[in-house]
Amino acid sequence: MYHLLDAEWLKLRKSKITFIMFVGPIVGMILGLTVSTDMFPDEINHWFSTLMVMNLTYALLFLPLITGVLASTICRYEHQAGGWKQLLALPVTRGKVFIAKYLLLIVLIFAMQVLYLGAVVTIGFIHQYTDPFPMEIVWKSILGGWVATFPLAALQLWMSLMFKSFAAPLAVNVIFTLPAILAVNSEKVGPYYPWAQPFSMMYIGGDTKDVFFIPWEQLITVVGGGFLLFFLCGYIYFQRKAV
Amino acid sequence: MEYIVETRKLTKRFGKEFAVSDLAMKIPKGEIYGFLGPNGAGKTTTIRMLLGLMQPTAGSVRIFGSDLKKDRINILKKVGSLVENPSYYPHLTAAENLEVLRKIYGTEKNRVNEVLEIVRLSDVANKKVKGFSLGMKQRLGIAAALLNRPELLILDEPTNGLDPSGIIEIRNLIKRLPSIYGMTIVISSHLLSEIDQIATTVGIVSKGKMIFQDSIDVMRTFSKQSVVVKVNESEKAWRSLMAKGIQGELHDGKILLVDKTDQEIAAIIRNLVQNGHDIYRVEEDKRSLEDIFLQMTAEEERV
Ligand SMILES: Nc1ncnc2c1ncn2[C@@H]1O[C@H](COP(=O)(O)OP(=O)(O)OP(=O)(O)O)[C@@H](O)[C@H]1O
Ligand SMILES: [Mg+2]
């Protein structure tokens, strides 16, 4: 497994991955810089209000969308010139290849979350916030947002394995991501819609009784269940794929 | 006999069509096996199944004496392959492409340079493969197939799309391999001429069926000799031979005598002369292996 990840990393390192990883955090940063936080009362921690503003677009749109783009990127060079048939004729099991790709994907998403955290901190420095940095809550948000992408990453990996083109998985992604904007406003649908979870789990205004900003049951059934479903579908699909 | 590759009733169906049917491929150790067949005969499909890239509809594959289904990983450790068009990562250099594979094989680091040397790509090792010519990509593919010092090398149309000098170069390269590593090689082609100088055994497929499989020497014995006689009044001459019970064919004013001994030919010529015919030419027409191959596959087409 280590050798496989090492090989994956070499392929990835030389692709345009860095650029893609910076898109979300940079857009978040621009929003954080330009959008005013005046609508929040002054007694609220400035870090809080900034994060609220930035999270809206980042967690609702960029995080899910870029998860899909990253999934397509790590499959793209295999699709381009017969990479699959070469890779799968090596002494590796398809299961391991699938898991390696998935692990790589979620590590990338984690790195993106950390970059996003960096963007938040940078804004605070630019605005010279004097309020205490709410470490615990920020980490909760960053980690929660990451965990919430697990099912999305599994679905997007599956789609990216299936379709040679970049456009098809992206279309699937957009179709499911856009309704999240409506879903988060609905108490009925919001908790059950997997694409709304990154936002809900990064939403620092949420309930803080649990480890993350959503109840445990929701985390296990919606995020956990979604992950299991998409991961298994992708895994089984890849086992049978003729290359 | 010890077979490196042995398939039993190997079958692959796409929808209603059988791309490969009941194929029994037997490749003895140390041979260079020419896997021949016209376009669409099922060569690539067979090779994909040999590597486990595609599941057979029915039948089994044994390589190095083990079942592919059960022992795939251990088998593939000792196999090198190039399937159809060369595979590569366009955004990586030649050396990086091989490095990706080397990491997975766990071969020692210097092996990358060695195989680049073997296929003579050392000069462009650090160039992106994106810009390579087809011939260079093909050679890179062969380098990749040699990376793990395979005991079985499977090359699917390795000379496809190459110019004549490229073909000769690849052929010479392949010729050297068994002596270096003692490996068994399968090389597919739709042209017999590309492999007749290197193959020791041939398997011919047509429409998914194996129609011939034996040593190339056995195949050569199929190349029947015929003698073409050009005479005046050819039709009359031919009739007179027929009247004497001598089998021949009339073709463009020439008489074609197939599979005759020297004595028979002598008797026929004497006969024609005595009947007052002028003999203009007596030529031997040896069918090339290519003709036999074409005829074999054409016969199959008609069935
Ligand atoms: N994935 C597929 N789906 C459907 N049909 C296929 C598929 N792959 C191959 N075929 C069909 O199977 C038959 C055999 O194809 P194959 O590629 O094995 O032939 P080949 O002998 O390698 O030909 P060539 O000399 O052109 O490379 C063809 O009729 C082809 O159309
Ligand atoms: Mg082919």
Side-chain angles (χ1 to χ4, degrees), chain B residues 43-44 84 156-157:
Chain B
K43 303 181 294 293
T44 302
E84 228 163 21
D156 185 18
E157 312 228 17

Side-chain angles (χ1 to χ4, degrees), chain A residues 3-4 6-7 10-11 14-15 77-78 80-82 85-94 241-243, chain B residues 48 52-54 72-73 76-77 81 83 85-92 96 99-101 103-105 144:
Chain A
H3 295 295
L4 203 50
D6 195 17
L10 172 57
K11 287 185 267 185
K14 305 278 172 172
S15 66
Y77 33 73
E78 310 291 352
Q80 268 176 332
K85 63 180 153 71
Q86 187 168 56
L87 181 60
L88 299 179
L90 297 177
V92 286
T93 62
R94 290 179 181 217
K241 183 181 168 72
V243 294
Chain B
R48 286 206 149 101
L53 294 176
M54 202 178 241
R72 181 166 172 272
I73 300 295
L76 290 182
K77 279 181 189 160
S81 63
V83 183
N85 320 312
S87 309
Y88 54 93
Y89 299 114
H91 67 298
L92 302 182
E96 286 164 353
E99 180 64 12
V100 167
L101 308 177
K103 281 178 191 291
I104 296 174
Y105 278 125

Side-chain angles (χ1 to χ4, degrees), chain A residues 9 21 102-113 146:
Chain A
W9 175 240
M21 302 254 305
Y102 186 78
L103 286 177
L104 192 68
L105 180 56
I106 58 172
V107 166
L108 287 174
I109 298 168
F110 184 72
M112 187 166 79
Q113 288 291 86
W146 178 55

